[in-house]
Amino acid sequence: MEWVTDLLTMMISAGTPLLLATLGEIYAERSGILNLGVEGMMAVGAVTAFGITLVTGNPLLGFLLATLTGCLLACVHAFLSISIRSNQVISGLALSMLGLGISSLAGRRLIGTPLPVTIRKIPVPLLSDIPVIGAFFNQDPVTYTSYVLVVLLWFILFKTKLGVIIRACGENPQAVHAAGIDVYLIRYLCTLIGGALAGLGGAYLSVVYTPTWIEGMTAGQGWIAIALVIFAVWNPIYATVGAYLFGGIRILQYRLQPLGISVPLLKTLPYVCTIVVLVVASSGKFRKRIGAPAALTIPFEK
Amino acid sequence: MLNLRLERREVTPEIELIATIVAILLAFVIAAFIFLIYGINPLYAYAQIFGTVRKAHRLGEIITKLIPLLLCGIGLTIAFKANTWNIGAEGQLLIGAILATWVALFLSVPEFTRLPLMFLLGFVGGAAWAFIPAVLKSKLGTNEVITTLMMNYIAACFVDYLIYGPWKGAEEWGFPYTNKFPISAWLPTIPKTRIHWPTLIIALVSAVLLYFLLTKTTIGFELRVAGQDERVARYAGISVEKAIILAMIISGGLAGIAGVGEVAGVHHRLRYASSISSGYGYAGIIVALLARNNPILSIITAFFLAILFVGGDAIQVSMGLPFGVVNIFNGIILACLLTSEFLAKYKISWR
Amino acid sequence: METVVEMKGITKRFPGVVANDHVDFDLKPGEIHALLGENGAGKTTLMNILYGLYRPDEGKIFVRGEEVKIRSPKDAMELGIARVPQFPETVDNLSVAENLALLLPGKILRKNKIQSMIKELAERYGLELDVDAMVYELSMGEKQRLELIKALCRGAEILILDEPTTVLTPSEVESLFQVLRRMKEEGKSIVFVSHKLEEVFAIADRITVLRRGKKIATVPAKEITKLELAKLMVGRPVTFELKKEPVVFGEEVLKVNNLRVLDDRGLLAVKGVSFSIRAGEIFGIAGVAGNGQRELVEAITGLRRVEDGEVVILGKDVTNKSSADIIKLGVAHIPDDRRVGAVLTLSVMDNLMLKNYTNFSKNGILDLRKARELAEKLIEKYKIVTPNVNVPVQQLSGGNIARLILARETSGECKLLIAFHPTFGLDVAATEEIRKLLLELRRKGVAILLVSEDLEEIMQLSDRIAVMYRGTFMGIVDSEKAKVEEIGLMMGGVKPET
């Protein structure tokens, strides 16, 4: 049983950046905004957190600023797609390019530098000793935070009025507007939440998981997160399943290496799996009923 | 929130041209601020980038880079016209390069047929790579943005697999390259430049042909209707599936040809994916969008992006900046294009 | 207090039209004031101004004697003004409770509270609704009830009902009127927007008539006759008579046999429908929207999969054939939504050759000159108002887009015409023109399937009438012998006694 617990422990850690980014994108899409810029926001979050932690020695400050820069980038998308009603696909692509470009500019002197601090795992007493389940309680503080976020974001989305408003914005913004609620405000809010969480996910990647800065280290995780939103049928709870599954695929890559399978071929695994997951999710029989928010990518005009 | 009064107005080609120019200028202003934040003198950087145009050998380099940008860009105009977001030109280019390499190194055919066969298989390979997401989109409605992007990563990994593994060259110790192509698989170039002119001619002719296809043929009509409005196309008996698949095959095939040009005209072997293409497939998106999906106007926009690419190389050498910085321009240009289109489309006043 | 709402000299201009031209309107406490006018008279614009969706270019609004500026629906709500829109603006993928939660104070969803609130409203006004139901499961009538509850739970004292009966069966209309009368007794003021004379007479205390953006008159309902009112509304003596010549029906053109079709959600929407139409016959399908008409039409035209049964056109089995194959047999189709019948972003010429573009091609290359000549001919013949053939269709008015679709569909070799709401949203003149054209086609021997919610239109034009309710035909009657009451009952799901 021990190896299962160990494997699960690693899967959770490897899946955490994906989980954070997916949670954020769920909020953006639930409000009707498709943000394809996750990859860029993650990259900028990663480089910011790494740089700040390196300079100040304070990872908390690094995480905070990564979250903020994620927000800042998301602002660009929010302005383009909400305020001036641009095509969300193009705007998201622009954001991804911009984010990757900024990360490579900002990180040009950080490559190969080790961090002065490491974020350690803090096992929860007693709970972490339980077989299998214990894997969830032998993690670092950021991962614990992500559990709280999953529950909190789920609760807000499905059990509060704010959640109803967010979902209604993604389904029929006209009705929200007619109810006297500012659709733009809600959509801005959700897009910014998406940016903040993508930034945090990137920060986890560079400060906790790897921990180092390599140009292009996000390696498509932002895009995988967007696919996971569909897989999770826009529900924060289900996002954990997809994220940890892909965390597992990442672990699998390293586990299969000693068997003599070529490394570049193993690297294709998460990308192939993403396509498979998307195909499965889009061929579901009841796609229409549990499908994408009806107003996703449609600009709202007062 | 802001209380703006928006009034739609008709967008004429003149307004579009002005909007495009304004967008590009604005992009450079904004990028300048980003450079400043990271402690780089933007004026010096811009001088380095645009200083390239004046030197003759740099002009040759610009045209060399224009070739793949144009081939990817015009293909994307067709895909975008059919409302299919092919973000996978990068991967389609790499598959074209792989198949061309296979023909160049491992296929025994009469020498005079080698180059034509490389082009043919390059086209088929790129088209096949685009065919997969096209079928998934048209049959299952799978989001093509993500599938084409994933296929880019897969193609890049596959290139790495080949050059580290089965196709690893014997003559280069340690470095991941394939063997050099035999001379019969080298494209001729204009003397003193790296311009592989056969590919350039293919690109220019394709641009004209695609323009004709879009505006003067039944296929082009079907593509436009299907791309503008799926529901109306179905109602009119036009197959949306066919339009998507056809557009993706053309788009992928042309990107594949770009890949053939790069290995047969520039590198003469297969090497790291990031060396074969420094993001031509992604920049092709900007080529197409700046040209408003017009294949002929793409020649101008591809030239502009080629300047940026050569400039990117220049600041890499002279200022030690990573080539990825070009992505900052790409992103900002797109964002500014969206903004200027909005300004062109609406008359705005305070109320 | 004399009036709760007073609108004075309201003017609203849109590019190219004056939607409201110095309109005065007032509402007294505890009255139902009908706003009557044809489509495009400016009723909805005036009410959108009162509800804060548009801002007037000129004019003043007083609520309870005080001048107010209503900048948004939120402002309107704070003044106690609520609107029940023509087509319910509910969020279909949320439950009834969640839809209501959008409007209620409080941060956490509390279903018990909403349940007891609905119970109270049900006792007071007769507005019953299941709070757990998903809104997409509701009928149109139930959705409208939800809209009314929404208005009431915002504490609305002034209700605007925009064409509220469009989506209702006759019996649902009657129960709506009962609810409205209860509300009136409670002292609420109601604006009842409509273009239907009968209804206005049944419910209103006072009637204001709008015509082409101008207020024509405000009269107490008791002091005017229907004919006088009709004259005020249309501005000329109305002749609702169309000449329908007797026609000898020809061969059987369309035969539908026991057809079963699913809707978008995978539920059975057409549950075994059979009928046939002969050349020169107009077969009308009446019924309230959402009873399977759309699915039926789409199945016949090859746009939706047929689960069971068959469609035969001119003796050929076309069940589950592509729309292209069906078009080739000479089937024309006027869809209910004009955005399905034309690509708004493409030019007039492109749209006119949308279905027969292959006729202009030689080896796949289009002869654009020929296409232009034909387009210009059609523009002239069908009186389509457009600057030239190259402007995008979105710049045309609704009536002209309708004419464009009609021109394209009926100018070719047409054997069967499927007309779905062909006059929806058009003014009286355009409506009459299109109805005449349908009769003209009938005379030429075209078989016509006419699907409409407008009972008057169905009665006027059809040779036989079927009434569709929840996916089945309640009955098929001869239009000569048909009575409006009988058809009305069938629309509400009551089978005729035979």
Side-chain angles (χ1 to χ4, degrees):
Chain A
M1 278 318 268
E2 203 159 307
W3 70 271
V4 179
T5 317
D6 283 350
L7 183 68
L8 193 58
T9 310
M10 285 187 282
M11 279 168 72
I12 292 168
S13 188
T16 298
L18 266 176
L19 176 62
L20 290 166
T22 307
L23 288 176
E25 182 70 8
I26 286 176
Y27 261 58
E29 292 193 18
R30 276 285 187 177
S31 81
I33 300 297
L34 173 71
N35 188 349
L36 294 179
V38 183
E39 181 81 1
M41 299 188 294
M42 280 182 94
V44 171
V47 79
T48 308
F50 190 84
I52 298 292
T53 310
L54 191 68
V55 174
T56 65
N58 184 347
L60 195 64
L61 193 65
F63 279 112
L64 201 70
L65 282 171
T67 312
L68 265 177
T69 44
C71 267
L72 208 65
L73 265 188
C75 257
V76 176
H77 184 66
F79 172 75
L80 293 173
S81 58
I82 303 168
S83 297
I84 68 169
R85 308 163 197 167
S86 300
N87 181 312
Q88 295 182 13
V89 174
I90 302 177
S91 169
L93 285 173
L95 200 63
S96 265
M97 292 180 183
L98 180 61
L100 288 173
I102 290 179
S103 77
S104 80
L105 178 64
R108 67 193 192 280
R109 300 212 183 98
L110 303 175
I111 296 167
T113 327
L115 276 184
V117 282
T118 49
I119 312 286
R120 287 206 180 81
K121 287 192 181 347
I122 305 173
V124 179
L126 298 177
L127 286 175
S128 58
D129 296 332
I130 307 170
V132 186
I133 309 261
F136 286 93
F137 300 102
N138 186 16
Q139 299 289 350
D140 54 83
V142 185
T143 305
Y144 293 137
T145 314
S146 75
Y147 302 158
V148 177
L149 279 172
V150 168
V151 177
L152 185 73
L153 292 175
W154 172 81
F155 184 82
I156 292 176
L157 200 54
F158 293 108
K159 298 289 167 196
T160 69
K161 185 181 168 186
L162 178 64
V164 173
I165 295 173
I166 290 170
R167 284 183 286 146
C169 272
E171 296 286 347
N172 185 354
Q174 211 63 49
V176 178
H177 179 60
I181 300 161
D182 191 337
V183 175
Y184 288 9
L185 187 72
I186 299 293
R187 288 192 162 176
Y188 258 90
L189 179 77
C190 289
T191 311
L192 293 196
I193 290 174
L197 290 178
L200 194 61
Y204 185 90
L205 210 54
S206 67
V207 175
V208 184
Y209 189 74
T210 315
T212 178
W213 168 253
I214 309 157
E215 198 181 330
M217 71 183 298
T218 44
Q221 293 213 44
W223 299 105
I224 296 175
I226 295 166
L228 283 185
V229 172
I230 301 169
F231 180 70
V233 292
W234 293 266
N235 184 331
I237 301 281
Y238 298 146
T240 53
V241 180
Y244 297 153
L245 194 76
F246 272 80
I249 290 165
R250 209 176 153 118
I251 302 300
L252 196 66
Q253 283 177 48
Y254 298 115
R255 288 294 170 92
L256 290 179
Q257 261 179 48
L259 300 179
I261 300 173
S262 139
V263 179
L265 280 190
L266 280 175
K267 274 191 178 163
T268 63
L269 215 54
Y271 310 124
V272 173
C273 289
T274 304
I275 295 177
V276 171
V277 157
L278 265 187
V279 169
V280 170
S282 57
S283 63
K285 238 189 172 176
F286 300 104
R287 188 152 56 93
K288 208 87 205 185
R289 190 171 294 179
I290 51 168
L296 187 64
T297 75
I298 301 168
F300 174 67
E301 292 182 42
K302 271 183 197 167
Chain B
M1 303 243 45
L2 293 176
N3 269 324
L4 295 176
R5 180 202 291 267
L6 302 176
E7 249 177 69
R8 246 173 204 283
R9 63 179 162 202
E10 206 185 327
V11 181
T12 58
E14 294 82 40
I15 294 181
E16 270 191 344
L17 178 66
I18 294 168
T20 310
I21 292 169
V22 167
I24 290 169
L25 292 177
L26 192 66
F28 280 99
V29 174
I30 295 173
F33 283 104
I34 293 178
F35 277 129
L36 276 177
I37 291 173
Y38 291 102
I40 292 155
N41 180 353
L43 292 180
Y44 181 67
Y46 290 170
Q48 292 288 312
I49 291 172
F50 293 102
T52 59
V53 190
R54 279 177 289 137
K55 298 171 195 153
H57 71 282
R58 283 291 167 82
L59 187 67
E61 207 42 28
I62 289 169
I63 292 174
T64 310
K65 301 243 185 226
L66 171 137
I67 297 169
L69 285 167
L70 182 59
L71 279 164
C72 290
I74 53 174
L76 292 179
T77 62
I78 303 295
F80 295 164
K81 275 275 182 200
N83 197 25
T84 303
W85 293 99
N86 179 11
I87 317 298
E90 187 77 3
Q92 292 141 17
L93 181 152
L94 291 175
I95 297 297
I98 289 174
L99 285 187
T101 305
W102 180 67
V103 174
L105 294 177
F106 305 104
L107 197 66
S108 45
V109 287
E111 289 310 314
F112 69 94
T113 61
R114 198 176 290 279
L115 274 169
L117 251 176
M118 283 164 77
F119 275 118
L120 184 71
L121 259 98
F123 184 92
V124 170
W129 207 243
F131 182 72
I132 299 167
V135 167
L136 292 179
K137 178 184 161 75
S138 62
K139 299 290 175 208
L140 296 171
T142 311
N143 183 322
E144 77 280 17
V145 175
I146 301 181
T147 49
T148 50
L149 247 154
M150 291 296 116
M151 307 263 309
N152 288 347
Y153 286 107
I154 294 170
C157 289
F158 199 58
V159 170
D160 287 353
Y161 160 72
L162 290 173
I163 59 176
Y164 277 111
W167 289 4
K168 191 172 171 183
E171 53 182 327
E172 311 279 346
W173 4 251
F175 284 102
Y177 292 130
T178 62
N179 287 332
K180 266 214 151 102
F181 290 179
I183 298 295
S184 64
W186 287 36
L187 282 169
T189 51
I190 295 173
K192 288 187 193 160
T193 69
R194 298 203 292 169
I195 302 171
H196 38 107
W197 54 266
T199 330
L200 180 64
I201 289 172
I202 292 176
L204 292 172
V205 171
S206 303
V208 176
L209 281 179
L210 286 187
Y211 180 80
F212 182 79
L213 179 88
L214 269 180
T215 54
K216 302 273 192 302
T217 67
T218 53
I219 291 173
F221 186 77
E222 288 164 7
L223 275 182
R224 282 188 292 139
V225 173
Q228 286 293 330
D229 201 317
E230 255 180 61
R231 281 191 310 171
V232 184
R234 294 227 158 81
Y235 157 81
I238 291 169
S239 165
V240 178
E241 286 81 14
K242 200 179 109 187
I244 291 171
I245 289 174
L246 187 75
M248 282 295 271
I249 283 177
I250 294 174
S251 177
L254 288 172
I257 286 188
V260 179
E262 289 311 290
V263 288
V266 179
H267 303 287
H268 305 127
R269 59 180 151 207
L270 196 63
R271 52 195 296 193
Y272 274 140
S274 58
S275 312
I276 298 285
S277 168
S278 37
Y280 298 129
Y282 298 112
I285 298 168
I286 302 168
V287 170
L289 291 177
L290 279 179
R292 298 299 193 286
N293 293 337
N294 179 325
I296 289 184
L297 289 182
S298 296
I299 299 170
I300 300 168
T301 55
F303 187 78
F304 166 72
L305 266 122
I307 295 174
L308 216 55
F309 267 61
V310 175
D313 280 339
I315 53 173
Q316 195 174 8
V317 175
S318 66
M319 300 173 72
L321 295 179
F323 187 80
V325 171
V326 169
N327 270 324
I328 296 183
F329 289 107
N330 288 346
I332 298 180
I333 288 172
L334 275 187
C336 290
L337 183 68
L338 291 174
T339 312
S340 73
E341 269 185 347
F342 173 78
L343 296 176
K345 205 155 58 179
Y346 295 96
K347 221 166 90 185
I348 303 167
S349 55
W350 299 92
R351 58 176 170 196
Chain C
M1 200 162 35
E2 270 268 290
T3 60
V4 280
V5 173
E6 199 171 359
M7 301 175 84
K8 275 188 177 168
I10 301 291
T11 298
K12 176 74 187 172
R13 299 181 194 91
F14 292 112
V17 277
V18 183
N20 286 155
D21 189 358
H22 297 92
V23 175
D24 297 328
F25 181 79
D26 70 299
L27 185 63
K28 290 180 183 149
E31 79 161 342
I32 298 180
H33 190 159
L35 192 55
L36 182 72
E38 352 168 10
N39 287 312
K43 309 179 299 269
T44 304
T45 307
L46 188 67
M47 287 303 112
N48 280 347
I49 288 171
L50 182 58
Y51 190 57
L53 287 169
Y54 296 151
R55 286 176 205 197
D57 297 325
E58 286 168 40
K60 287 178 179 168
I61 304 172
F62 300 86
V63 174
R64 298 182 193 90
E66 269 176 60
E67 187 179 349
V68 289
K69 289 251 184 300
I70 306 174
R71 293 194 178 82
S72 67
K74 204 174 163 186
D75 290 353
M77 254 174 267
E78 277 161 11
L79 292 166
I81 303 171
R83 182 185 62 142
V84 176
Q86 181 176 8
F87 299 100
E89 282 176 1
T90 49
V91 187
D92 286 5
N93 267 334
L94 299 185
S95 70
V96 168
E98 285 171 332
N99 266 274
L100 290 171
L102 272 178
L103 304 158
L104 295 173
K107 295 201 159 58
I108 309 289
L109 295 182
R110 287 209 190 80
K111 225 159 55 191
N112 297 346
K113 220 172 103 189
I114 295 170
Q115 216 143 23
S116 62
M117 191 195 72
I118 290 192
K119 218 168 148 192
E120 197 226 337
L121 288 174
E123 277 164 18
R124 212 155 128 199
Y125 302 108
L127 288 164
E128 270 172 72
L129 213 52
D130 174 10
V131 294
D132 287 323
M134 294 299 283
V135 172
Y136 60 71
E137 294 169 339
L138 304 183
S139 73
M140 278 306 218
E142 286 170 316
K143 282 188 188 179
Q144 192 178 63
R145 221 173 292 162
L146 175 58
E147 286 286 357
L148 277 167
I149 295 173
K150 274 164 71 178
L152 290 172
C153 72
R154 284 170 187 162
E157 291 299 317
I158 301 157
L159 276 125
I160 304 166
L161 281 85
D162 192 357
E163 304 265 4
T165 59
T166 316
V167 295
L168 303 183
T169 63
S171 69
E172 281 176 321
V173 170
E174 197 36 57
S175 69
L176 170 71
F177 282 2
Q178 271 167 24
V179 172
L180 294 183
R181 286 186 195 112
R182 292 282 283 278
M183 288 179 169
K184 189 173 101 175
E185 282 163 25
E186 298 248 332
K188 298 199 188 299
S189 315
I190 296 165
V191 186
F192 187 94
V193 182
S194 179
H195 69 275
K196 295 179 189 159
L197 293 169
E198 306 273 349
E199 284 175 17
V200 165
F201 266 102
I203 191 79
D205 299 314
R206 282 195 299 157
I207 301 165
T208 290
V209 181
L210 287 187
R211 190 170 74 220
R212 298 194 172 192
K214 287 201 174 98
K215 182 182 130 172
I216 302 301
T218 299
V219 286
K222 291 199 183 85
E223 295 173 14
I224 190 164
T225 65
K226 221 180 274 183
L227 203 67
E228 285 171 334
L229 202 58
K231 234 187 262 174
L232 286 178
M233 181 167 105
V234 184
R236 60 188 160 91
V238 254
T239 52
F240 281 130
E241 284 306 306
L242 280 173
K243 245 199 281 165
K244 208 167 103 186
E245 298 164 30
V247 165
V248 181
F249 300 146
E251 54 169 344
E252 185 178 85
V253 177
L254 171 69
K255 188 164 171 256
V256 171
N257 210 347
N258 203 18
L259 202 66
R260 295 164 85 84
V261 187
L262 300 181
D263 66 10
D264 288 342
R265 283 186 243 111
L267 308 173
L268 206 57
V270 179
K271 303 166 183 167
V273 161
S274 307
F275 64 95
S276 69
I277 310 177
R278 284 171 294 169
E281 183 184 24
I282 297 185
F283 185 84
I285 297 181
V288 179
N291 274 299
Q293 298 96 319
R294 176 185 307 273
E295 287 79 6
L296 175 65
V297 165
E298 288 180 352
I300 295 171
T301 49
L303 296 171
R304 190 178 281 274
R305 233 184 80 80
V306 172
E307 293 301 312
D308 196 20
E310 56 176 1
V311 180
V312 181
I313 294 173
L314 292 165
K316 267 180 94 172
D317 185 357
V318 296
T319 317
N320 285 329
K321 285 273 157 46
S322 74
S323 55
D325 290 339
I326 292 170
I327 290 167
K328 272 185 216 131
L329 288 173
V331 177
H333 174 196
I334 300 169
D336 60 332
D337 184 347
R338 284 193 264 283
R339 286 169 305 179
V340 176
V343 188
L344 298 181
T345 46
L346 292 184
S347 72
V348 171
M349 181 172 112
D350 283 345
N351 273 293
L352 281 170
M353 62 188 223
L354 192 59
K355 279 194 177 166
N356 62 350
Y357 61 93
T358 42
N359 292 354
F360 303 110
S361 85
K362 208 174 149 190
N363 303 325
I365 292 164
L366 290 170
D367 183 349
L368 293 176
R369 190 190 290 168
K370 217 169 103 190
R372 173 186 301 267
E373 275 166 17
L374 201 90
E376 274 160 0
K377 236 182 253 168
L378 287 177
I379 285 172
E380 204 184 303
K381 190 175 160 202
Y382 287 83
K383 302 189 195 92
I384 303 167
V385 181
T386 170
N388 57 60
V389 294
N390 293 322
V391 295
V393 164
Q394 60 194 1
Q395 288 182 19
L396 270 52
S397 70
N400 280 311
I401 299 177
R403 266 186 220 111
L404 181 149
I405 294 170
L406 201 73
R408 182 188 63 220
E409 295 302 311
T410 59
S411 60
E413 279 287 297
C414 164
K415 300 268 172 37
L416 170 66
L417 171 66
I418 293 161
F420 194 176
H421 279 322
T423 59
F424 181 76
L426 299 180
D427 62 24
V428 170
T431 299
E432 236 179 70
E433 241 174 80
I434 285 177
R435 287 180 188 170
K436 270 186 199 150
L437 206 110
L438 290 180
L439 288 179
E440 168 75 17
L441 289 168
R442 170 178 175 268
R443 204 174 47 81
K444 282 188 191 154
V446 176
I448 298 174
L449 173 64
L450 173 69
V451 183
S452 178
E453 281 163 43
D454 189 337
L455 203 47
E456 189 192 289
E457 179 168 271
I458 293 268
M459 300 282 282
Q460 254 184 22
L461 299 177
S462 312
D463 295 301
R464 283 184 301 149
I465 300 170
V467 182
M468 203 162 179
Y469 177 76
R470 300 221 169 140
T472 52
F473 280 173
M474 300 308 289
I476 300 176
V477 290
D478 227 317
S479 70
E480 308 263 298
K481 297 172 203 149
K483 290 193 197 81
V484 180
E485 299 77 29
E486 188 189 11
I487 291 179
L489 277 175
M490 287 198 273
M491 282 165 75
V494 182
K495 283 231 181 212
E497 286 161 39
T498 42

